[in-house]
Amino acid sequence: MVKSKTILALETSCDETAIALLRGSELLASEVASQIAEHERFGGVVPEVASRNHLVHAPRLLESALRRAKTDISQVDAFAATSGPGLASSLMIGASIAKGLAIGFGKPYLAINHLEGHLLSPFFGETEIKPNVSLVASGGHTVTVFVRGGGDYQMIGRTVDDAAGEAFDKIAKLLGLGYPGGPVIEKHAVKGDPNRFDLPRSIPDSENFSFSGLKTAVRYLLPALRGDYLADVCASVQAAIVDVLVRKPIAAAKKHDVDLVTVSGGVSCNRELRKKIADACKRHGLELKTAEPWLCTDNAAMIAFAAMLKLQSDVTSSVIEEIVPNLAVAV
């Protein structure tokens, strides 16, 4: 019987510090330290604050993950880390730790694309990656990708300005709400009328995404409003974003003749998005596969899974490979 390999992965692309251990298809440990409280007072992520906190949290999480997994670090078969896209000062922390451990223990190192981690996350624990159109919607990224199989991707559409998560954050700031914007706008939207304000759906005929016009529309709308409008604005904003996020992957799936749509990334935790895209897939005869909510926000488990698939195909990285903050999904 072939012994399942154990991978230790780090994810430090933005403001979450995360470490996970995966043995075969079994997740032994997944630790995440959030920095939301530190960045909330700034209304967004401050790179220097994020990188300093990674240095504080990583050693503690490493010890905790190994203890929870009941594994000695010498038993790890390979070390992986997110190499991009993300904040350079944050990526450098996780990659440096993983490279140092790989060199110190004489084990392979794997540099993992953060977006690949997300788009594979709906298949977490499975061995087959079926052809699909993947929507990855997170704080800094909104993309659709034609996935032919593990490691075989074709970019379809990407953000030309603000990503969906950025739009939520910036509009929440305009409304005087907290950070991150997605959950707080969703909370207020439950009681609002999504049809009260006719907000733009930018570049509807393009495969790409654009949400900066929505933010600008809200900015110009607010000074004219009086009375109780918060819930209706939030509902209208959410409807505008969700409408675009649903329509474009459905169209892409039809164009590329696939019957499976997958959805991942932090924005995909939005309940209205999940409901609307499930309804749309059903109407169009498409299967929908969504990542579990705990896999949608930044985490190291998805990075470990992506690394495991590569390791099983004998794909590894050089420890001199640099981080790539603007890394895109490989075509």
Side-chain angles (χ1 to χ4, degrees):
M1 182 177 178
V2 179
K3 175 178 174 290
S4 295
K5 292 190 175 182
T6 301
I7 287 182
L8 188 151
L10 293 97
E11 155 58 31
T12 61
S13 63
C14 190
D15 60 330
E16 269 97 8
T17 313
I19 294 179
L21 282 119
L22 184 69
R23 178 177 297 144
S25 60
E26 180 186 4
L27 184 62
L28 304 178
S30 180
E31 302 284 330
V32 181
S34 173
Q35 297 184 30
I36 288 177
E38 286 89 342
H39 298 280
E40 186 173 11
R41 59 198 170 107
F42 301 108
V45 177
V46 179
E48 184 180 354
V49 173
S51 58
R52 288 186 178 186
N53 275 286
H54 288 314
L55 288 170
V56 171
H57 294 310
R60 172 180 62 82
L61 293 184
L62 180 59
E63 290 182 9
S64 177
L66 289 166
R67 186 168 58 251
R68 186 180 296 273
K70 298 179 181 178
T71 300
D72 187 84
I73 198 165
S74 62
Q75 297 174 306
V76 173
D77 297 297
F79 296 91
T82 304
S83 61
L87 300 174
S89 55
S90 290
L91 290 166
M92 199 176 299
I93 305 299
S96 296
I97 293 171
K99 288 177 181 180
L101 291 170
I103 293 170
F105 288 95
K107 300 293 175 65
Y109 165 70
L110 295 101
I112 302 300
N113 185 318
H114 178 79
L115 295 178
E116 184 177 15
H118 273 307
L119 67 85
L120 291 175
S121 62
F123 298 93
F124 186 84
E126 300 180 21
T127 56
E128 182 185 5
I129 309 301
K130 296 179 181 178
N132 68 90
V133 164
S134 172
L135 169 68
V136 178
S138 65
H141 310 282
T142 302
V143 299
T144 46
V145 180
F146 176 29
V147 180
R148 298 185 184 90
D152 188 358
Y153 315 118
Q154 177 185 332
M155 181 71 76
I156 299 171
R158 67 183 78 205
T159 308
V160 298
D161 42 54
D162 288 345
E166 289 176 301
F168 273 126
D169 289 342
K170 291 177 180 179
I171 292 171
K173 193 171 184 178
L174 289 174
L175 293 169
L177 302 176
Y179 170 84
V184 70
I185 286 179
E186 181 181 11
K187 179 182 176 181
H188 287 285
V190 172
K191 300 178 180 179
D193 176 5
N195 299 311
R196 180 176 171 185
F197 302 107
D198 185 17
L199 296 174
R201 277 69 166 163
S202 300
I203 55 174
D205 298 323
S206 171
E207 293 180 317
N208 290 325
F209 297 86
S210 169
F211 294 103
S212 66
L214 175 61
K215 173 198 65 183
T216 302
V218 173
R219 180 187 294 276
Y220 284 113
L221 173 68
L222 291 179
L225 298 182
R226 299 290 183 272
D228 187 10
Y229 59 81
L230 180 60
D232 291 343
V233 171
C234 287
S236 299
V237 165
Q238 178 175 265
I241 293 174
V242 166
D243 184 34
V244 173
L245 293 181
V246 169
R247 198 160 16 92
K248 298 204 175 191
I250 297 292
K254 288 181 168 294
K255 178 179 177 179
H256 291 274
D257 195 27
V258 297
D259 57 10
L260 174 62
V261 171
T262 64
V263 183
S264 58
V267 174
S268 73
C269 290
N270 183 281
R271 289 183 291 273
E272 186 69 6
L273 172 59
R274 290 192 171 225
K275 177 181 180 301
K276 293 290 188 183
I277 201 164
D279 291 344
C281 284
K282 185 176 181 180
R283 284 197 309 273
H284 291 277
L286 300 170
E287 181 186 353
L288 175 66
K289 200 174 186 68
T290 56
E292 293 291 330
W294 67 273
L295 278 167
C296 289
T297 52
D298 289 350
N299 65 90
M302 67 179 187
I303 302 303
F305 179 59
M308 183 68 74
L309 293 179
K310 290 184 183 297
L311 194 63
Q312 289 171 348
S313 299
D314 296 321
V315 176
T316 60
S317 307
S318 168
V319 291
I320 64 172
E321 185 172 322
E322 298 285 352
I323 58 168
V324 187
N326 296 318
L327 185 65
V329 176
V331 176

